[in-house]
Amino acid sequence: MSACTTVTSPLGDLLLVGENAHGRLTLTSLSMPGQKNAPAVQEDWDRAPQLFADVAGQLRAYFAGELTEFDIEFTPGGTDFQQRVWRALEEIPYGTSTTYGRLAEKLGLPRERVQALGAAVGANPLMLVRPCHRVIGADGSLRGYAGGVERKVRLLTHEGILQPSLI
């Protein structure tokens, strides 16, 4: 059965969706307000904040600067190619970034597959906890982020990848 809750964060209210099997939760989606392709809460979903207590605690610790790596069980999803790309995202350490080209190289993908890789990164249903925000353009530009480039800047600044602006 699907369950959901919202968690307040510096990025806005995060919608957490998971699968509940006999009190054991696997996270299916973490989305932000206004995010492209974010799931809409369904009437038959169980609103069960207690099931998400561990995930919510890890998110609070992350935003407090006390956690750099999440330990959350995910519900499998996506195509084989997407899963391969998403596993590579999970290996990008906190406080670092990589480029789409380097990610493609790591996965052994030819240059003509970089666009497909970008689409797989953009289809990541687990914003933040599967760190797609750490992937940037080869020229250092902050290419698209389904949660919005402003949020990507905030996350990269939080992790020390970008320096805070003095504007």
Side-chain angles (χ1 to χ4, degrees):
M1 163 173 271
S2 292
C4 67
T5 195
T6 55
V7 174
T8 301
S9 84
L11 303 175
D13 285 343
L14 304 177
L15 173 63
L16 307 179
V17 180
E19 291 300 317
N20 177 17
H22 309 290
R24 185 176 146 264
L25 179 83
T26 57
L27 192 65
T28 303
S29 172
L30 187 159
S31 59
M32 304 173 187
Q35 175 184 322
K36 295 177 194 169
N37 302 315
V41 175
Q42 304 297 307
E43 285 184 28
D44 62 338
W45 287 357
D46 184 20
R47 273 100 177 139
Q50 71 282 2
L51 290 175
F52 296 90
D54 181 60
V55 175
Q58 289 186 53
L59 289 167
R60 279 191 296 278
Y62 168 82
F63 286 115
E66 301 165 355
L67 183 76
T68 60
E69 190 174 313
F70 293 98
D71 183 18
I72 297 170
E73 190 172 348
F74 304 139
T75 307
T79 66
D80 289 343
F81 179 74
Q82 287 172 328
Q83 288 179 15
R84 190 169 159 227
V85 171
W86 297 342
R87 281 190 300 273
L89 292 176
E90 293 168 9
E91 294 174 11
I92 304 169
Y94 179 95
T96 67
S97 63
T98 193
T99 65
Y100 291 92
R102 282 191 298 230
L103 196 57
E105 186 177 298
K106 177 181 178 159
L107 291 168
L109 300 174
R111 287 185 58 79
E112 60 269 12
R113 296 283 293 162
V114 172
Q115 190 171 6
L117 178 136
V121 170
N124 171 21
L126 296 164
M127 305 291 288
L128 181 64
V129 297
R130 185 182 286 142
C132 55
H133 60 277
R134 297 179 188 152
V135 183
I136 60 175
D139 60 358
S141 61
L142 303 180
R143 309 263 171 180
Y145 182 62
V149 173
E150 179 182 298
R151 287 190 180 114
K152 184 172 189 165
V153 168
R154 290 181 72 184
L155 289 168
L156 294 175
T157 302
H158 171 74
E159 294 186 6
I161 298 165
L162 294 177
Q163 296 302 308
S165 63
L166 300 174
I167 302 175

PDB file of all heavy atoms in Angstrom, residues 2 12-13 25 42 47-48 57 59 69 74 82 88 90 95 100 114 118 127 129 147 149 151 153 155 159-160 166:
ATOM      1  N   SER A   2       0.493   2.250  -0.760  1.00  0.00           N
ATOM      2  CA  SER A   2       1.242   3.501  -0.812  1.00  0.00           C
ATOM      3  C   SER A   2       0.896   4.375   0.383  1.00  0.00           C
ATOM      4  O   SER A   2      -0.256   4.431   0.828  1.00  0.00           O
ATOM      5  CB  SER A   2       0.931   4.257  -2.098  1.00  0.00           C
ATOM      6  OG  SER A   2       1.439   3.556  -3.205  1.00  0.00           O
ATOM      7  N   GLY A  12      11.179  24.096   1.133  1.00  0.00           N
ATOM      8  CA  GLY A  12       9.720  24.015   1.071  1.00  0.00           C
ATOM      9  C   GLY A  12       9.278  22.663   1.597  1.00  0.00           C
ATOM     10  O   GLY A  12      10.089  21.847   2.028  1.00  0.00           O
ATOM     11  N   ASP A  13       7.980  22.425   1.578  1.00  0.00           N
ATOM     12  CA  ASP A  13       7.459  21.149   2.053  1.00  0.00           C
ATOM     13  C   ASP A  13       7.821  20.047   1.063  1.00  0.00           C
ATOM     14  O   ASP A  13       7.510  20.150  -0.134  1.00  0.00           O
ATOM     15  CB  ASP A  13       5.940  21.208   2.228  1.00  0.00           C
ATOM     16  CG  ASP A  13       5.534  21.992   3.457  1.00  0.00           C
ATOM     17  OD1 ASP A  13       6.388  22.209   4.332  1.00  0.00           O
ATOM     18  OD2 ASP A  13       4.357  22.394   3.532  1.00  0.00           O
ATOM     19  N   LEU A  25       8.804   0.343   5.419  1.00  0.00           N
ATOM     20  CA  LEU A  25       8.661   1.362   4.390  1.00  0.00           C
ATOM     21  C   LEU A  25       9.848   1.359   3.432  1.00  0.00           C
ATOM     22  O   LEU A  25      11.000   1.264   3.860  1.00  0.00           O
ATOM     23  CB  LEU A  25       8.571   2.751   5.043  1.00  0.00           C
ATOM     24  CG  LEU A  25       8.443   3.899   4.044  1.00  0.00           C
ATOM     25  CD1 LEU A  25       6.999   4.076   3.617  1.00  0.00           C
ATOM     26  CD2 LEU A  25       8.985   5.176   4.635  1.00  0.00           C
ATOM     27  N   GLN A  42      -2.583  10.865  -4.006  1.00  0.00           N
ATOM     28  CA  GLN A  42      -3.783  10.135  -4.418  1.00  0.00           C
ATOM     29  C   GLN A  42      -4.688   9.889  -3.209  1.00  0.00           C
ATOM     30  O   GLN A  42      -4.201   9.732  -2.085  1.00  0.00           O
ATOM     31  CB  GLN A  42      -3.383   8.790  -5.050  1.00  0.00           C
ATOM     32  CG  GLN A  42      -2.429   8.917  -6.223  1.00  0.00           C
ATOM     33  CD  GLN A  42      -3.035   9.683  -7.382  1.00  0.00           C
ATOM     34  OE1 GLN A  42      -4.124   9.339  -7.849  1.00  0.00           O
ATOM     35  NE2 GLN A  42      -2.351  10.714  -7.839  1.00  0.00           N
ATOM     36  N   ARG A  47      -2.063   8.491   4.667  1.00  0.00           N
ATOM     37  CA  ARG A  47      -1.267   9.586   5.237  1.00  0.00           C
ATOM     38  C   ARG A  47      -0.711   9.074   6.557  1.00  0.00           C
ATOM     39  O   ARG A  47      -1.437   8.960   7.526  1.00  0.00           O
ATOM     40  CB  ARG A  47      -2.110  10.844   5.454  1.00  0.00           C
ATOM     41  CG  ARG A  47      -2.175  11.730   4.234  1.00  0.00           C
ATOM     42  CD  ARG A  47      -3.470  11.485   3.519  1.00  0.00           C
ATOM     43  NE  ARG A  47      -3.663  12.356   2.352  1.00  0.00           N
ATOM     44  CZ  ARG A  47      -4.177  11.904   1.231  1.00  0.00           C
ATOM     45  NH1 ARG A  47      -4.508  10.648   1.115  1.00  0.00           N
ATOM     46  NH2 ARG A  47      -4.364  12.713   0.223  1.00  0.00           N
ATOM     47  N   ALA A  48       0.584   8.744   6.541  1.00  0.00           N
ATOM     48  CA  ALA A  48       1.174   8.044   7.681  1.00  0.00           C
ATOM     49  C   ALA A  48       2.538   8.606   8.038  1.00  0.00           C
ATOM     50  O   ALA A  48       3.568   8.005   7.749  1.00  0.00           O
ATOM     51  CB  ALA A  48       1.270   6.556   7.355  1.00  0.00           C
ATOM     52  N   GLY A  57      13.774  12.249   9.958  1.00  0.00           N
ATOM     53  CA  GLY A  57      14.898  12.535  10.849  1.00  0.00           C
ATOM     54  C   GLY A  57      16.205  12.693  10.086  1.00  0.00           C
ATOM     55  O   GLY A  57      17.015  13.580  10.388  1.00  0.00           O
ATOM     56  N   LEU A  59      16.473  13.656   6.964  1.00  0.00           N
ATOM     57  CA  LEU A  59      16.392  14.923   6.224  1.00  0.00           C
ATOM     58  C   LEU A  59      16.692  16.110   7.143  1.00  0.00           C
ATOM     59  O   LEU A  59      17.427  17.023   6.771  1.00  0.00           O
ATOM     60  CB  LEU A  59      15.020  15.075   5.566  1.00  0.00           C
ATOM     61  CG  LEU A  59      14.763  14.137   4.388  1.00  0.00           C
ATOM     62  CD1 LEU A  59      13.284  14.128   4.022  1.00  0.00           C
ATOM     63  CD2 LEU A  59      15.619  14.531   3.199  1.00  0.00           C
ATOM     64  N   GLU A  69      25.366  11.466   4.344  1.00  0.00           N
ATOM     65  CA  GLU A  69      25.017  10.292   3.549  1.00  0.00           C
ATOM     66  C   GLU A  69      23.727   9.697   4.102  1.00  0.00           C
ATOM     67  O   GLU A  69      23.624   9.440   5.306  1.00  0.00           O
ATOM     68  CB  GLU A  69      26.146   9.269   3.621  1.00  0.00           C
ATOM     69  CG  GLU A  69      26.010   8.133   2.653  1.00  0.00           C
ATOM     70  CD  GLU A  69      27.245   7.242   2.673  1.00  0.00           C
ATOM     71  OE1 GLU A  69      28.373   7.765   2.638  1.00  0.00           O
ATOM     72  OE2 GLU A  69      27.053   6.014   2.724  1.00  0.00           O
ATOM     73  N   PHE A  74      15.081   2.221  -0.785  1.00  0.00           N
ATOM     74  CA  PHE A  74      14.281   2.729  -1.887  1.00  0.00           C
ATOM     75  C   PHE A  74      13.450   1.617  -2.509  1.00  0.00           C
ATOM     76  O   PHE A  74      13.880   0.466  -2.559  1.00  0.00           O
ATOM     77  CB  PHE A  74      15.171   3.314  -2.996  1.00  0.00           C
ATOM     78  CG  PHE A  74      16.107   4.405  -2.542  1.00  0.00           C
ATOM     79  CD1 PHE A  74      17.402   4.452  -3.007  1.00  0.00           C
ATOM     80  CD2 PHE A  74      15.702   5.395  -1.666  1.00  0.00           C
ATOM     81  CE1 PHE A  74      18.275   5.455  -2.616  1.00  0.00           C
ATOM     82  CE2 PHE A  74      16.556   6.395  -1.252  1.00  0.00           C
ATOM     83  CZ  PHE A  74      17.847   6.430  -1.729  1.00  0.00           C
ATOM     84  N   GLN A  82      17.965   3.674 -16.444  1.00  0.00           N
ATOM     85  CA  GLN A  82      17.780   4.666 -15.378  1.00  0.00           C
ATOM     86  C   GLN A  82      18.358   4.167 -14.069  1.00  0.00           C
ATOM     87  O   GLN A  82      19.051   4.909 -13.362  1.00  0.00           O
ATOM     88  CB  GLN A  82      16.291   4.991 -15.209  1.00  0.00           C
ATOM     89  CG  GLN A  82      15.725   5.830 -16.328  1.00  0.00           C
ATOM     90  CD  GLN A  82      14.209   5.971 -16.214  1.00  0.00           C
ATOM     91  OE1 GLN A  82      13.507   5.079 -15.749  1.00  0.00           O
ATOM     92  NE2 GLN A  82      13.711   7.119 -16.658  1.00  0.00           N
ATOM     93  N   ALA A  88      24.836   5.311 -10.064  1.00  0.00           N
ATOM     94  CA  ALA A  88      26.030   6.157 -10.203  1.00  0.00           C
ATOM     95  C   ALA A  88      25.841   7.475  -9.456  1.00  0.00           C
ATOM     96  O   ALA A  88      26.789   7.996  -8.856  1.00  0.00           O
ATOM     97  CB  ALA A  88      26.341   6.406 -11.681  1.00  0.00           C
ATOM     98  N   GLU A  90      24.209   7.879  -6.727  1.00  0.00           N
ATOM     99  CA  GLU A  90      24.352   7.568  -5.304  1.00  0.00           C
ATOM    100  C   GLU A  90      25.814   7.488  -4.877  1.00  0.00           C
ATOM    101  O   GLU A  90      26.115   7.577  -3.691  1.00  0.00           O
ATOM    102  CB  GLU A  90      23.616   6.268  -4.980  1.00  0.00           C
ATOM    103  CG  GLU A  90      22.113   6.399  -5.121  1.00  0.00           C
ATOM    104  CD  GLU A  90      21.377   5.076  -5.091  1.00  0.00           C
ATOM    105  OE1 GLU A  90      21.987   4.030  -4.789  1.00  0.00           O
ATOM    106  OE2 GLU A  90      20.168   5.083  -5.392  1.00  0.00           O
ATOM    107  N   GLY A  95      29.544  17.023  -0.864  1.00  0.00           N
ATOM    108  CA  GLY A  95      30.576  18.057  -0.949  1.00  0.00           C
ATOM    109  C   GLY A  95      31.355  18.031  -2.250  1.00  0.00           C
ATOM    110  O   GLY A  95      32.322  18.776  -2.398  1.00  0.00           O
ATOM    111  N   TYR A 100      28.078  15.845 -16.426  1.00  0.00           N
ATOM    112  CA  TYR A 100      27.362  14.829 -17.192  1.00  0.00           C
ATOM    113  C   TYR A 100      28.361  13.994 -17.994  1.00  0.00           C
ATOM    114  O   TYR A 100      28.230  12.778 -18.077  1.00  0.00           O
ATOM    115  CB  TYR A 100      26.329  15.480 -18.121  1.00  0.00           C
ATOM    116  CG  TYR A 100      25.182  16.102 -17.371  1.00  0.00           C
ATOM    117  CD1 TYR A 100      25.210  17.441 -16.989  1.00  0.00           C
ATOM    118  CD2 TYR A 100      24.061  15.352 -17.027  1.00  0.00           C
ATOM    119  CE1 TYR A 100      24.161  18.016 -16.291  1.00  0.00           C
ATOM    120  CE2 TYR A 100      23.001  15.915 -16.328  1.00  0.00           C
ATOM    121  CZ  TYR A 100      23.058  17.248 -15.960  1.00  0.00           C
ATOM    122  OH  TYR A 100      22.027  17.815 -15.263  1.00  0.00           O
ATOM    123  N   VAL A 114      25.043  10.972 -23.867  1.00  0.00           N
ATOM    124  CA  VAL A 114      25.014  11.936 -22.763  1.00  0.00           C
ATOM    125  C   VAL A 114      23.621  12.534 -22.605  1.00  0.00           C
ATOM    126  O   VAL A 114      23.155  12.755 -21.484  1.00  0.00           O
ATOM    127  CB  VAL A 114      26.096  13.025 -22.937  1.00  0.00           C
ATOM    128  CG1 VAL A 114      25.935  14.132 -21.909  1.00  0.00           C
ATOM    129  CG2 VAL A 114      27.480  12.407 -22.829  1.00  0.00           C
ATOM    130  N   GLY A 118      21.356  12.492 -19.305  1.00  0.00           N
ATOM    131  CA  GLY A 118      20.722  13.674 -18.711  1.00  0.00           C
ATOM    132  C   GLY A 118      19.243  13.460 -18.459  1.00  0.00           C
ATOM    133  O   GLY A 118      18.708  13.880 -17.434  1.00  0.00           O
ATOM    134  N   MET A 127      14.592  13.020  -5.367  1.00  0.00           N
ATOM    135  CA  MET A 127      15.344  14.258  -5.264  1.00  0.00           C
ATOM    136  C   MET A 127      16.050  14.319  -3.918  1.00  0.00           C
ATOM    137  O   MET A 127      15.551  13.798  -2.932  1.00  0.00           O
ATOM    138  CB  MET A 127      14.395  15.457  -5.370  1.00  0.00           C
ATOM    139  CG  MET A 127      13.526  15.469  -6.605  1.00  0.00           C
ATOM    140  SD  MET A 127      14.416  15.762  -8.107  1.00  0.00           S
ATOM    141  CE  MET A 127      14.794  17.467  -7.920  1.00  0.00           C
ATOM    142  N   VAL A 129      17.873  12.855  -1.829  1.00  0.00           N
ATOM    143  CA  VAL A 129      18.494  11.672  -1.225  1.00  0.00           C
ATOM    144  C   VAL A 129      19.276  10.847  -2.250  1.00  0.00           C
ATOM    145  O   VAL A 129      20.175  10.102  -1.890  1.00  0.00           O
ATOM    146  CB  VAL A 129      17.484  10.787  -0.469  1.00  0.00           C
ATOM    147  CG1 VAL A 129      16.888  11.544   0.701  1.00  0.00           C
ATOM    148  CG2 VAL A 129      16.394  10.253  -1.367  1.00  0.00           C
ATOM    149  N   GLY A 147      13.699  20.239  -9.524  1.00  0.00           N
ATOM    150  CA  GLY A 147      13.216  21.035  -8.405  1.00  0.00           C
ATOM    151  C   GLY A 147      13.453  22.523  -8.586  1.00  0.00           C
ATOM    152  O   GLY A 147      13.078  23.322  -7.729  1.00  0.00           O
ATOM    153  N   VAL A 149      16.460  25.403 -10.584  1.00  0.00           N
ATOM    154  CA  VAL A 149      17.883  25.722 -10.453  1.00  0.00           C
ATOM    155  C   VAL A 149      18.163  26.474  -9.148  1.00  0.00           C
ATOM    156  O   VAL A 149      19.209  26.267  -8.532  1.00  0.00           O
ATOM    157  CB  VAL A 149      18.384  26.509 -11.689  1.00  0.00           C
ATOM    158  CG1 VAL A 149      19.814  26.987 -11.494  1.00  0.00           C
ATOM    159  CG2 VAL A 149      18.296  25.638 -12.936  1.00  0.00           C
ATOM    160  N   ARG A 151      16.866  25.951  -6.249  1.00  0.00           N
ATOM    161  CA  ARG A 151      17.027  24.941  -5.197  1.00  0.00           C
ATOM    162  C   ARG A 151      18.344  24.187  -5.374  1.00  0.00           C
ATOM    163  O   ARG A 151      18.992  23.823  -4.395  1.00  0.00           O
ATOM    164  CB  ARG A 151      15.858  23.968  -5.199  1.00  0.00           C
ATOM    165  CG  ARG A 151      14.593  24.594  -4.645  1.00  0.00           C
ATOM    166  CD  ARG A 151      13.541  23.528  -4.434  1.00  0.00           C
ATOM    167  NE  ARG A 151      12.331  24.097  -3.907  1.00  0.00           N
ATOM    168  CZ  ARG A 151      11.175  24.138  -4.573  1.00  0.00           C
ATOM    169  NH1 ARG A 151      11.082  23.624  -5.783  1.00  0.00           N
ATOM    170  NH2 ARG A 151      10.110  24.670  -4.013  1.00  0.00           N
ATOM    171  N   VAL A 153      21.089  25.450  -6.517  1.00  0.00           N
ATOM    172  CA  VAL A 153      22.091  26.370  -5.965  1.00  0.00           C
ATOM    173  C   VAL A 153      22.099  26.268  -4.442  1.00  0.00           C
ATOM    174  O   VAL A 153      23.166  26.188  -3.823  1.00  0.00           O
ATOM    175  CB  VAL A 153      21.828  27.821  -6.426  1.00  0.00           C
ATOM    176  CG1 VAL A 153      22.670  28.813  -5.645  1.00  0.00           C
ATOM    177  CG2 VAL A 153      22.074  27.956  -7.924  1.00  0.00           C
ATOM    178  N   LEU A 155      21.184  23.755  -2.523  1.00  0.00           N
ATOM    179  CA  LEU A 155      21.737  22.468  -2.091  1.00  0.00           C
ATOM    180  C   LEU A 155      23.251  22.426  -2.271  1.00  0.00           C
ATOM    181  O   LEU A 155      23.977  21.976  -1.377  1.00  0.00           O
ATOM    182  CB  LEU A 155      21.078  21.319  -2.863  1.00  0.00           C
ATOM    183  CG  LEU A 155      19.627  21.040  -2.502  1.00  0.00           C
ATOM    184  CD1 LEU A 155      18.986  20.101  -3.521  1.00  0.00           C
ATOM    185  CD2 LEU A 155      19.521  20.475  -1.095  1.00  0.00           C
ATOM    186  N   GLU A 159      26.075  22.141   0.725  1.00  0.00           N
ATOM    187  CA  GLU A 159      27.083  21.087   0.779  1.00  0.00           C
ATOM    188  C   GLU A 159      28.502  21.626   0.595  1.00  0.00           C
ATOM    189  O   GLU A 159      29.456  20.849   0.620  1.00  0.00           O
ATOM    190  CB  GLU A 159      26.781  20.024  -0.294  1.00  0.00           C
ATOM    191  CG  GLU A 159      25.492  19.282  -0.002  1.00  0.00           C
ATOM    192  CD  GLU A 159      25.230  18.134  -0.962  1.00  0.00           C
ATOM    193  OE1 GLU A 159      26.101  17.822  -1.798  1.00  0.00           O
ATOM    194  OE2 GLU A 159      24.147  17.530  -0.859  1.00  0.00           O
ATOM    195  N   GLY A 160      28.647  22.945   0.416  1.00  0.00           N
ATOM    196  CA  GLY A 160      29.974  23.539   0.290  1.00  0.00           C
ATOM    197  C   GLY A 160      30.578  23.443  -1.101  1.00  0.00           C
ATOM    198  O   GLY A 160      31.751  23.751  -1.294  1.00  0.00           O
ATOM    199  N   LEU A 166      27.407  37.026  -1.954  1.00  0.00           N
ATOM    200  CA  LEU A 166      27.365  38.163  -1.018  1.00  0.00           C
ATOM    201  C   LEU A 166      26.489  39.283  -1.570  1.00  0.00           C
ATOM    202  O   LEU A 166      26.789  40.449  -1.384  1.00  0.00           O
ATOM    203  CB  LEU A 166      28.783  38.679  -0.773  1.00  0.00           C
ATOM    204  CG  LEU A 166      29.747  37.648  -0.174  1.00  0.00           C
ATOM    205  CD1 LEU A 166      31.160  38.208  -0.104  1.00  0.00           C
ATOM    206  CD2 LEU A 166      29.275  37.231   1.198  1.00  0.00           C
TER     207      LEU A 166
END
